[in-house]
């Protein structure tokens, strides 16, 4: 594709993201599946352009107002991004909007005025409010300011850049050194992660799915923080375990592998399609101790029938996903699911129901990919007030035995952020049920 054709494809894709009530990554995947004639390098370039515009949502729109109130469209957003973020001069960009075959239509008079207004400027401006500069939406700004205090700007700024690509070595198939060697043989460079003993951080965005290491189940794509949640369940060979909100099964795979294929892990979810995707990953990983179960809701009768039967129960709760904004930049602005207030009620209900599965002396691990205290510490406080038979098992005390590395020292709970730990934003609390004798 020519540079102009790439820009036109990006404009069309931005339009689809805007009008389609689905997460941007799903829209982008569908866009390219319908256009298989677009080559891999061109797909990567177009997707990178679109994700860049999504990452700079608030700052670009601020510039539209600062420049005089120009209308916001996919075309004008791309024009502004190319000038402000990519540093392209207005007259050079004008030539790419040539109206030729596959290229964008020529600039309108309004677009010419916009380009000339923005020409020579960069994306950041001292007049921007801090919330705009760090791309923080109004609905989350107050909560995050309250929690982070004077670290609000550096913590949120760390969410502006794309996330790295992390893998987890599957100990059922190979240790981390062997996985690194297999990746290196395929021309893929990686290095051990800091916190997870199974984590591998990859350089760049190589075609991982075509490698033998991936196809054989030797490695799985999983953020380092997500790996740590699986490790903190501290599930042992022979344990009975439930992953209550399993989704596509990433954490279930990690937990089951740590159990050395011994014992039983039940991966549950209310969305059966996700569990079907998990089943394929389970087969590829060579795991035989995992079964999937679709639930009608968090109050499914299966929960009552299995009351007090499990050593470990993981609740990776539905949440706002504020900790994953660097992966899903559109989720800051497009709340396609429940809002914060509704999610808080859902989290409370899920925790309350899942706790029934935990046997005396067993553990309930509550986790989110959120940085909002309402979804984290306050949920744990409310749960403990309603369930006095549970107590916090401090993560700092568990870390070395459960994870096997030096811990980040975050106190009684695991609280990770991109700024401090280089992972997505994650929270985890380990809650232990008192023994029957107590």
């Amino acid at each position: 594709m020519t540079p102009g054709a790439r820009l036109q494809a990006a404009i069309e894709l931005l339009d689809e993201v805007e009008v389609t009530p689905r997460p941007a990554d799903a829209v982008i995947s569908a866009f390219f599946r319908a256009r298989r004639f677009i080559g891999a390098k061109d797909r990567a370039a177009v997707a990178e352009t679109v994700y860049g515009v999504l990452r700079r949502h608030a700052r670009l729109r601020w510039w539209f107002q600062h420049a005089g109130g120009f209308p916001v469209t996919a075309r004008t957003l791309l024009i502004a991004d190319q000038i402000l973020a990519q540093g392209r001069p207005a007259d050079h960009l004008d030539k790419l909007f040539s109206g030729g075959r596959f290229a964008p239509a020529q600039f309108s008079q309004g677009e010419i005025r916009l380009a000339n207004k923005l020409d020579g400027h960069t994306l950041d401006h001292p007049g921007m409010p801090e919330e705009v500069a760090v791309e923080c939406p109004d609905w989350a700004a107050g909560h995050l300011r309250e929690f982070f205090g004077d670290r609000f700007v550096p913590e949120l700024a760390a969410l502006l850049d794309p996330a790295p690509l992390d893998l987890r070595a599957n100990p059922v198939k190979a240790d981390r050194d062997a996985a690194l060697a297999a990746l290196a043989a395929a021309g893929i460079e990686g290095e051990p992660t800091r916190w997870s003993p199974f984590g591998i951080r990859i350089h760049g965005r190589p075609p991982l799915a075509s490698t033998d290491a991936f196809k054989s189940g030797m490695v799985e794509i999983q953020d380092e923080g997500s790996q740590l949640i699986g490790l903190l369940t501290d599930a042992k060979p022979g344990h009975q375990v439930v992953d209550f909100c399993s989704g596509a099964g990433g954490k279930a795979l990690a937990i089951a592998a740590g159990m050395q294929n011994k014992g039983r892990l039940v991966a549950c979810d209310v969305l059966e399609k996700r569990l079907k995707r998990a089943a394929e990953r389970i087969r590829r990983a060579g795991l035989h101790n995992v079964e999937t179960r679709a639930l009608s809701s968090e109050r499914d009768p299966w929960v009552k029938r299995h009351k007090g039967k499990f050593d470990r129960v993981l609740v990776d709760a539905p949440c706002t996903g504020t900790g994953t904004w660097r992966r899903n930049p559109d989720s800051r602005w497009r709340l396609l699911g429940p809002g914060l207030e509704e999610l808080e009620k859902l989290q409370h209900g899920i925790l309350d129901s899942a706790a029934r599965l935990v046997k005396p002396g067993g553990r309930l691990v509550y986790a989110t990919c959120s940085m909002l205290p309402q979804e984290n510490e306050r949920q744990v406080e409310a749960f403990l007030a309603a369930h006095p038979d549970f107590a916090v098992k401090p993560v700092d005390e568990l870390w070395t035995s459960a994870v096997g590395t030096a811990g980040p020292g975050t106190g009684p709970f695991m609280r990770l952020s991109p700024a401090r730990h280089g992972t997505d934003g994650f929270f985890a609390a380990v809650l232990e049920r008192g023994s029957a004798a107590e």
Side-chain angles (χ1 to χ4, degrees), residues 148-423:
F148 285 123
D150 60 5
R151 286 195 55 81
F152 172 78
V153 170
E155 290 286 351
L156 271 291
L159 288 162
L160 296 178
D161 295 328
L165 175 59
D166 289 349
L167 309 180
R168 178 182 58 80
N170 175 10
V172 172
K173 296 291 184 80
D175 61 21
R176 181 163 63 179
D177 288 342
L180 280 165
L183 291 167
I188 296 175
E189 295 184 17
E191 60 190 17
T193 53
R194 180 179 180 183
W195 312 106
S196 169
F198 302 103
I200 296 171
R201 184 150 292 176
I202 297 299
H203 305 154
R205 286 288 188 273
L208 194 72
S210 62
T211 65
D212 289 339
F214 182 81
K215 290 189 287 187
S216 68
M218 185 184 293
V219 295
E220 280 283 342
I221 298 173
Q222 188 176 30
D223 181 79
E224 184 183 18
S226 180
Q227 296 178 37
L228 294 170
I229 289 172
L231 289 164
L232 282 176
T233 62
D234 201 21
K236 306 296 187 185
H239 269 171
Q240 301 289 305
V241 182
V242 173
D243 181 359
F244 200 66
C245 306
S246 190
K251 295 179 182 68
L253 292 174
I255 296 168
M259 294 165 67
Q260 301 172 22
N261 256 334
K262 299 172 184 176
R264 175 193 181 207
L265 189 150
V266 184
C268 302
D269 205 274
V270 295
L271 297 177
E272 193 168 1
K273 287 183 179 179
R274 289 184 180 179
L275 292 176
K276 287 180 179 177
R277 293 199 298 271
E280 172 56 35
R281 298 175 73 187
I282 291 165
R283 285 193 294 272
R284 188 174 68 235
L287 297 170
H288 312 297
N289 59 335
V290 185
E291 62 187 75
T292 60
R293 173 163 291 277
L295 302 178
S296 58
S297 73
E298 71 272 15
R299 290 282 168 183
D300 190 287
W302 180 86
V303 180
K304 185 177 181 180
R305 292 198 302 270
H306 291 80
K307 182 179 178 180
K309 298 287 181 66
F310 291 91
D311 301 281
R312 301 287 187 266
V313 176
L314 170 63
V315 172
D316 181 18
C319 67
T320 56
T322 54
T324 65
W325 278 350
R326 58 184 188 166
R327 293 183 190 279
N328 307 299
D330 60 308
S331 65
R332 304 170 188 247
W333 315 106
R334 305 169 72 232
L335 299 179
L336 301 175
L340 176 58
E341 185 175 344
E342 190 175 348
L343 281 167
E344 289 180 68
K345 293 177 183 177
L346 180 60
Q347 292 156 1
H348 178 83
I350 290 173
L351 257 179
D352 182 67
S353 183
R356 295 180 292 165
L357 295 166
V358 183
K359 66 168 56 174
R363 293 176 188 171
L364 173 66
V365 179
Y366 174 71
T368 74
C369 53
S370 171
M371 299 190 298
L372 301 179
Q374 293 93 323
E375 300 185 275
N376 298 331
E377 289 90 348
R378 292 179 194 172
Q379 283 290 5
V380 172
E381 291 166 7
F383 173 82
L384 293 173
H387 298 82
D389 53 333
F390 282 85
V392 174
K393 192 79 173 173
V395 165
D396 276 356
E397 296 178 11
L398 291 170
W399 191 279
T400 301
S401 60
V403 179
T405 64
T410 59
F413 307 126
M414 184 186 82
R415 197 178 238 292
L416 305 177
S417 75
R420 295 187 180 188
H421 307 103
T423 68

Side-chain angles (χ1 to χ4, degrees), residues 2 4-5 8 75 94-107:
T2 65
Q8 178 58 29
R75 276 176 60 94
D94 181 38
K95 294 173 184 175
L96 294 177
F97 282 68
S98 64
R101 192 179 184 212
F102 304 126
Q106 291 182 329
F107 278 178

Side-chain angles (χ1 to χ4, degrees), residues 28-146:
I28 291 169
S29 294
F31 181 89
F32 289 124
R33 281 199 303 272
R35 296 162 177 81
R36 297 191 183 276
F37 57 86
I38 299 179
K41 289 184 179 179
D42 291 319
R43 287 198 301 271
V46 172
E48 183 179 0
T49 298
V50 169
Y51 272 118
V53 172
L54 296 176
R55 290 184 193 286
R56 297 182 275 274
H57 175 281
R59 287 168 290 173
L60 289 172
R61 282 161 175 77
W62 182 89
W63 269 106
F64 275 75
Q65 294 304 310
H66 185 71
F70 288 89
V72 178
T73 67
R75 276 176 60 94
T76 56
L77 280 171
L78 195 63
I79 291 167
D81 191 67
Q82 290 290 305
I83 294 171
L84 296 170
Q86 309 306 324
R88 278 185 162 162
D91 58 353
H92 174 67
L93 190 60
D94 181 38
K95 294 173 184 175
L96 294 177
F97 282 68
S98 64
R101 192 179 184 212
F102 304 126
Q106 291 182 329
F107 278 178
S108 67
Q109 288 302 309
E111 290 168 348
I112 291 172
R113 289 195 299 273
L114 172 65
N116 288 336
K117 280 271 193 178
L118 301 180
D119 200 29
H121 291 284
T122 57
L123 184 64
D124 296 312
H125 188 284
M128 280 182 180
E130 284 184 343
E131 288 81 1
V132 172
V134 296
E135 299 281 333
C136 186
D138 291 342
W139 65 267
H143 304 308
L144 290 171
R145 276 194 177 279
E146 177 187 355

